[in-house]
Amino acid sequence: MLDRGDDQASGLRRSMPRRGGAVLPVAGAGEHPEFVVRLAQAFADGGTRTAVVSDFDAVLEQLAQGRPRNRLTAIHSMQTGDDLQRLSTIAARADVVLVAVDDGRLARGLALPASEAVVLAGADPEALATAYARIKALVGLGSIRDVCTLFGRGSGGAPARIGHERLAQTAARFLGVDLAFGGAAPDTSMPSAYRRLADDLADWARGRGEAAWQPH
């Protein structure tokens, strides 16, 4: 179960109509491409119209090689413009858009129609430092106020929880951001676990962002 942190307004947000699909920037996809692919497939298998916008060959190639899914579309990020300004058009035709691009392009996406983001991380000190830098860059975009951490399979259990707590304390102190904890990536042999993670993540994004999402 995804630990959402303190969000007393979630009930109000869920009662409001959606104005488009959730746009979820996913930082760290270059180090964890399979995580992005499995998550996107899980969204689609659960009936969610899913688009993945990426410039990582590993992500796009794995999506192309997987079983065809009618509700899953892979789009090279160059089709969204240099600053990802065409994401709103894609979001209008999808329920969720995972934006898995390199840090530089993500940092230039100043028109991101998103208020939540996901950061993929590892539990070792260097990976945590990189994850914090990504959280800081995402929050610096202006629209991102809620972030969920997801850890690689090698960081399951206590290491993932400890790593998240370290990030959460630092982010709360210096950025004023309340991090949600998504746990560690399930084993690839457990598609049902990815389905549960996808459902939890979609629920978190809806609860966090319905009131704030505005098309550009």
Side-chain angles (χ1 to χ4, degrees):
M1 182 65 67
L2 189 147
D3 181 355
R4 293 164 178 79
D6 184 16
D7 184 21
Q8 298 177 354
S10 63
L12 174 61
R13 288 170 181 154
R14 292 172 199 221
S15 69
M16 300 182 69
R18 288 201 64 79
R19 302 187 183 186
V23 175
L24 284 177
V26 182
E31 292 95 327
H32 306 274
E34 187 177 55
F35 201 160
V36 178
V37 172
R38 295 279 181 174
L39 192 58
Q41 292 171 339
F43 272 123
D45 289 342
T48 299
R49 294 175 302 166
T50 306
V52 179
V53 175
S54 185
D55 51 14
F56 292 114
D57 290 340
V59 171
L60 297 172
E61 289 172 1
Q62 288 183 42
L63 286 171
Q65 293 167 1
R67 173 174 58 83
R69 292 166 168 83
N70 293 331
R71 295 182 178 88
L72 178 57
T73 304
I75 303 168
H76 196 286
S77 63
M78 293 303 295
Q79 298 180 42
T80 67
D82 290 341
D83 295 332
L84 307 175
Q85 65 265 31
R86 300 191 187 100
L87 281 174
S88 295
T89 302
I90 297 171
R93 301 191 297 267
D95 298 315
V96 63
V97 182
L98 302 179
V99 184
V101 300
D102 71 71
D103 292 348
R105 294 204 70 200
L106 196 55
R108 293 197 304 272
L110 300 179
L112 279 173
S115 57
E116 312 85 30
V118 174
V119 173
L120 306 180
D124 62 274
E126 183 177 354
L128 289 175
T130 299
Y132 177 76
R134 285 169 171 156
I135 293 169
K136 184 177 181 179
L138 285 166
V139 173
L141 295 177
S143 63
I144 304 296
R145 296 309 307 165
D146 296 293
V147 179
C148 177
T149 61
L150 292 170
F151 286 77
R153 281 205 309 265
S155 305
R161 172 59 75 174
I162 293 171
H164 169 79
E165 289 175 353
R166 289 175 178 170
L167 282 174
Q169 291 171 2
T170 306
R173 179 179 179 183
F174 295 105
L175 304 176
V177 175
D178 180 31
L179 300 186
F181 178 53
D187 189 274
T188 55
S189 64
M190 302 169 60
S192 61
Y194 273 94
R195 282 283 301 276
R196 289 193 296 272
L197 176 58
D199 289 344
D200 259 357
L201 192 58
D203 183 59
W204 170 77
R206 283 194 297 267
R208 289 288 187 175
E210 283 188 349
W213 195 96
Q214 295 288 338
H216 289 252

